[in-house]
């Protein structure tokens, strides 16, 4: 058997399991030779702890056209996140490995791994590779972008039609993809502009339009007119009815409520008289009215996501009846450190998980950067968003990435980058509880850097800072009872730190980074993990204690072997139990 033609992969049957679901996985072999007598073993880890294991043997009659279905015992009836690792030994003594991750949650809002679909032409009928790709990457909700007949009338009279931008759409294809996604536990979310109308509707209903301060209608290039979403507007009643008809007819699980980022203020016609309205006040009311209407109409909860374009008005929509905080990021939020500010504020204001629509124009099909340089930039952007507790609307249609706010202009990626994407998405699933727990307190700016000495980093001639500056290793320190999490993000040697730009070279690889940590409690374990290597599996780190200084206590000291783009270090503690270095006799009164 030729080793170059032999590979295995392990894929969860669902993008996210629900409590009570069977935990089933597909073990798939690819080879140009016969199979049989291979021995396989699998193990499931909760972070660094082995919690389940098993295995089996292929029958001599096995064909690579077959899939082995592995069923894992339900770990618990509660939410959780895990890694699964498989080893196969061939009949001639060679060993191969595969891995994946999976999680269990009551609802996708706990971990909103958002993807997209945008191609619904009749030619797409029966083509479900995109669904398999989304499931493999644990995407548990998908935005159906521009699936509708038009923005002010979502359903057409025929199954096939041409949309306002000239694309051929089949609602039978849309339904087919909704059903296929549902089989993998993936929610389907319908794009729905909150105030977009085509010119003919707007001209018939001038009293429903929002106007500029010069009396002209607000519009997007005189094509999509911006309508009045006040709660007492006839437009609001009209479009909410359209939402309900669409969900009922198509089977969507939720709505993606979109806006265009402007206007901030406008003038409406109320009873024939002009009145100034403020959109940061209208959006929250509109979201809540939509939620109320959908709740009254449907038995099952209709998911709601609202687009805070350019981070506006996140502070007023944060507490509305939406499931996650979704923010479309634009300049002047330009640099990596500014993405952190956006995520931190949205999490603080809402208590919800945060999704960033951070488009990567370096992949744009009409003006692509060098593929390798685009992929370097994308990797750093993912690392920054994920390490700071955000999710990234990035991957979807035909195994590609978003490069433009008009989703059909998606970017093509290389096979090598697909491997990296798999590692990154496996990583954020397996370590979900260490990345997205709202109880984690970010103490980066008070524990490390400057005058702070609780956490000290060192490597020869390298600057470690919690500020996210280009030319440094960005250090993030987070803690809660019983655990401390440290992220290292590599910004060394970059030509720019703009999140949406390509990078001419990869960050400078670091090895043997010493971390000294002031510890009061007994350490249970120290381990590190990264999405940048061959495996996301955690590896233990040895540690010792050294003096912090004269009469100022002790540091726990350990060494991180490597930093490519992003490395995470986890210190598990026995909460409230003093470290064994503490000697009560030292503090006895003479």
């Amino acid at each position: 058997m030729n080793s170059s033609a032999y590979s295995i992969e392990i894929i969860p049957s669902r993008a996210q399991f629900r409590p009570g679901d069977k935990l089933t996985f597909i073990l798939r072999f690819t080879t140009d030779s016969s199979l049989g007598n291979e021995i396989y073993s699998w193990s499931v880890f909760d972070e660094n702890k082995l919690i389940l294991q098993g295995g089996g043997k292929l029958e001599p009659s096995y064909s690579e056209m077959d899939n082995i279905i592995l069923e894992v015992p339900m770990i618990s009836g509660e939410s959780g996140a895990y890694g699964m690792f498989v080893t196969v030994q061939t009949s001639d003594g060679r060993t191969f490995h595969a891995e994946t991750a999976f999680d269990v949650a009551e609802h996708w809002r706990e971990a909103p791994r958002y993807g997209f679909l945008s191609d619904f032409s009749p030619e797409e009928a029966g083509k479900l590779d995109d669904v398999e790709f989304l499931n493999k990457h644990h995407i548990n909700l998908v935005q159906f972008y521009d699936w509708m007949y038009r923005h002010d009338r979502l359903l057409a009279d025929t199954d096939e039609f041409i949309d306002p931008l000239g694309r051929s759409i089949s609602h039978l294809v849309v339904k087919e993809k909704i059903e296929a996604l549902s089989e993998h536990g993936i929610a389907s979310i319908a794009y729905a502009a909150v105030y977009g109308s085509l010119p003919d509707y707007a001209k018939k209903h001038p009293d429903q339009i929002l106007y500029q301060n010069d009396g002209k209608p607000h519009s997007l290039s005189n094509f999509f007119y911006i309508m009045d979403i006040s709660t007492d507007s006839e437009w609001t009643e009209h479009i909410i009815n359209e939402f309900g008809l669409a969900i009922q007819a198509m089977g969507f699980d939720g709505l993606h409520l979109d806006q265009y980022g402007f206007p901030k203020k406008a003038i409406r016609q109320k009873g024939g008289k002009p009145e100034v309205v403020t959109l940061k006040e209208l959006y929250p009311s509109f979201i809540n009215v939509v939620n109320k209407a959908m709740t009254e109409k449907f038995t099952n909860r209709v998911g709601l996501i609202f687009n805070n374009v350019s981070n506006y008005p996140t502070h007023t929509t944060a507490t509305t009846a939406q499931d996650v905080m979704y923010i479309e990021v634009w300049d002047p939020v330009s640099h990596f450190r500014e993405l952190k500010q956006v995520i931190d504020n949205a999490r603080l204001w809402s208590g919800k998980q945060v999704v960033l629509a951070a488009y990567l124009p370096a992949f744009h099909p009409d003006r692509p950067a060098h593929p390798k340089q685009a992929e370097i930039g994308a990797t750093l952007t993912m690392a920054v968003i994920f390490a700071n507790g955000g999710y990234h609307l990035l991957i979807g249609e035909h195994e590609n990435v978003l490069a433009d706010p008009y989703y059909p202009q998606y970017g093509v990626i290389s096979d090598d980058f697909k491997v990296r994407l798999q590692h990154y998405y496996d990583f954020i699933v397996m370590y979900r509880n260490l990345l997205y727990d709202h109880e984690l307190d970010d103490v980066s700016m008070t524990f490390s850097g400057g005058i702070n000495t609780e956490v000290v980093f060192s490597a020869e001639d390298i600057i470690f800072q919690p500020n996210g500056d280009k030319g440094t290793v960005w250090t993030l320190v987070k803690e809660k009872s019983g655990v401390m999490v440290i992220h290292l993000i590599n910004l060394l040697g970059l030509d720019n730190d703009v999140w949406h730009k390509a990078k001419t070279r990869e960050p400078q690889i670091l090895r043997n980074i010493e971390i000294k940590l002031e510890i009061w409690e007994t350490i249970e374990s120290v381990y590190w993990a990264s999405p940048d290597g061959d495996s996301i599996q955690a590896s233990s780190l040895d540690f010792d204690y050294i003096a912090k200084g004269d009469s100022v206590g002790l540091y726990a000291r350990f060494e991180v072997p490597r930093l490519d783009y992003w490395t995470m270090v986890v210190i598990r503690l026995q909460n409230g139990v003093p470290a064994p270095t503490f000697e009560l006799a030292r503090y006895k009164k003479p």
Side-chain angles (χ1 to χ4, degrees), residues 375 399-400 412-422:
E375 291 166 2
E399 305 186 10
N400 292 301
V412 175
I413 58 175
S414 69
D415 289 340
D416 286 345
F417 191 61
K418 289 176 184 178
V419 173
R420 172 159 279 172
L421 280 177
Q422 185 69 59

Side-chain angles (χ1 to χ4, degrees), residues 18 27 94 222 224 227 235 285 288 385 388-389 399 416 458 476 479 498 516 546 551 559 569 586:
R18 302 287 181 265
L27 181 58
R94 289 173 294 126
N222 295 316
F224 294 117
M227 312 301 281
W235 166 262
S285 299
N288 289 333
I385 292 173
N388 281 290
E399 305 186 10
D416 286 345
S458 60
L476 302 171
E479 68 167 1
V498 176
K516 294 183 290 187
I546 62 170
S551 301
E559 195 169 80
V569 180
R586 290 185 181 182

Side-chain angles (χ1 to χ4, degrees), residues 495-526:
D495 59 308
N496 72 79
D497 61 347
V498 176
W499 63 262
H500 51 75
K501 283 189 176 181
K503 307 290 181 284
T504 59
R505 55 187 175 273
E506 292 187 284
Q508 172 190 337
I509 295 174
L510 284 186
R511 291 180 172 83
N512 303 324
I513 302 166
E514 183 183 77
I515 300 179
K516 294 183 290 187
L517 183 65
E518 193 172 62
I519 287 290
W520 292 268
E521 294 159 307
T522 296
I523 296 176
E524 286 187 350
S525 63
V526 181

Side-chain angles (χ1 to χ4, degrees), residues 506-572:
E506 292 187 284
Q508 172 190 337
I509 295 174
L510 284 186
R511 291 180 172 83
N512 303 324
I513 302 166
E514 183 183 77
I515 300 179
K516 294 183 290 187
L517 183 65
E518 193 172 62
I519 287 290
W520 292 268
E521 294 159 307
T522 296
I523 296 176
E524 286 187 350
S525 63
V526 181
Y527 67 87
W528 74 291
S530 173
D532 297 319
D534 293 331
S535 175
I536 63 168
Q537 190 164 7
S539 297
S540 297
L541 294 175
D542 294 329
F543 63 93
D544 61 4
Y545 289 97
I546 62 170
K548 185 177 178 183
D550 293 339
S551 301
V552 290
L554 297 173
Y555 277 130
R557 179 179 61 179
F558 48 88
E559 195 169 80
V560 179
R562 183 176 174 124
L563 170 63
D564 289 68
Y565 288 85
W566 171 29
T567 289
M568 179 178 70
V569 180
V570 181
I571 303 94
R572 284 285 176 186

